Amino acid sequence: MKAGDLGEMMVLTLRDPDRALDVLRGLDLPMAARWMVLLLAVTLSTLLAGLSLLLFPIEVDNPVSRMLSEPLTLAGIQFGAMVMSALFVAQIGRLFGGQGDFPDALLAIGWVELMLVGLQAVQVVMMVVFPATATLLSMVAFGLFLYLAVTMTKALHGFTSTPKVVLGLIGSLFLLGFVLSLIAAAFGIVPEVAP
């Protein structure tokens, strides 16, 4: 794939997620390459997060923000969260009659994250040039994430009902959040609550 192909693939993903996923599947990437897509997305995202922290330092006043300001920790958390997301998307989708599997879910999530990294790069530049646009771009990024999560999950499993996929994703996010909070509590990473 060349740089121009990546741009066309991004547009295709936004316009027709089913065809985009077919193209991704058609690449017939081995499992190692799918892991590398995810690792590349995490690495680029972590580098951009580090750059934005250098440009706009934030006050580190609790264990969570301290942890997220460490690049390797942030990368590990992102990588783990994406792998768990791929596992949840594959397994929960199959519970509801979907056809997707973990390797394709991993590829889809890696691709979605790469698209979001592109938007994150634009956001860092815009924060420098037009700081007032940062909040707007954050909302656009969140909206794009939701859209891509729903449409790519539908494409992955062959689902036709958008509301059911939305409900399934919301339930999965709550479940993922619960699991991550248990892991955080096990490692003693619990935000302090003011009395």
Side-chain angles (χ1 to χ4, degrees), residues 69-115:
S69 66
E70 295 291 326
L72 287 177
T73 305
L74 178 61
I77 290 170
Q78 283 185 314
F79 188 78
M82 281 191 253
V83 171
M84 287 178 66
S85 297
L87 190 61
F88 279 25
V89 164
Q91 294 305 318
I92 293 174
R94 290 180 78 80
L95 282 175
F96 288 95
Q99 306 301 314
D101 57 11
F102 178 73
D104 285 346
L106 193 68
L107 181 61
I109 284 178
W111 173 244
V112 166
E113 185 62 22
L114 279 175
M115 289 183 66

Side-chain angles (χ1 to χ4, degrees), residues 17-180:
D18 289 315
R19 267 188 50 217
L21 190 61
D22 286 344
V23 170
L24 288 173
R25 284 174 168 154
L27 295 174
D28 200 25
L29 296 175
M31 200 59 192
R34 294 169 193 239
W35 284 108
M36 287 173 57
V37 168
L38 196 65
L39 192 57
L40 175 65
V42 168
T43 302
L44 292 174
S45 178
T46 303
L47 288 172
L48 287 169
L51 177 61
S52 66
L53 278 176
L54 283 174
L55 294 171
F56 305 99
I58 59 169
E59 188 177 328
V60 178
D61 59 352
N62 62 58
V64 174
S65 59
R66 209 174 4 263
M67 179 182 66
L68 295 178
S69 66
E70 295 291 326
L72 287 177
T73 305
L74 178 61
I77 290 170
Q78 283 185 314
F79 188 78
M82 281 191 253
V83 171
M84 287 178 66
S85 297
L87 190 61
F88 279 25
V89 164
Q91 294 305 318
I92 293 174
R94 290 180 78 80
L95 282 175
F96 288 95
Q99 306 301 314
D101 57 11
F102 178 73
D104 285 346
L106 193 68
L107 181 61
I109 284 178
W111 173 244
V112 166
E113 185 62 22
L114 279 175
M115 289 183 66
L116 293 174
V117 164
L119 186 58
Q120 186 181 359
V122 171
Q123 188 174 9
V124 170
V125 171
M126 293 301 285
M127 283 168 52
V128 173
V129 180
F130 301 111
T133 62
T135 304
L136 177 63
L137 281 174
S138 294
M139 290 190 299
V140 169
F142 183 70
L144 182 62
F145 163 74
L146 290 178
Y147 170 77
L148 291 173
V150 169
T151 57
M152 290 301 274
T153 301
K154 279 178 63 179
L156 177 70
H157 287 294
F159 292 142
T160 56
S161 172
T162 300
K164 287 180 182 176
V165 172
V166 169
L167 285 175
L169 282 174
I170 290 171
S172 298
L173 285 174
F174 278 118
L175 182 60
L176 180 61
F178 178 71
V179 169
L180 290 176

Side-chain angles (χ1 to χ4, degrees), residues 61-63 190-195:
D61 59 352
N62 62 58
V190 181
E192 295 172 13
V193 179

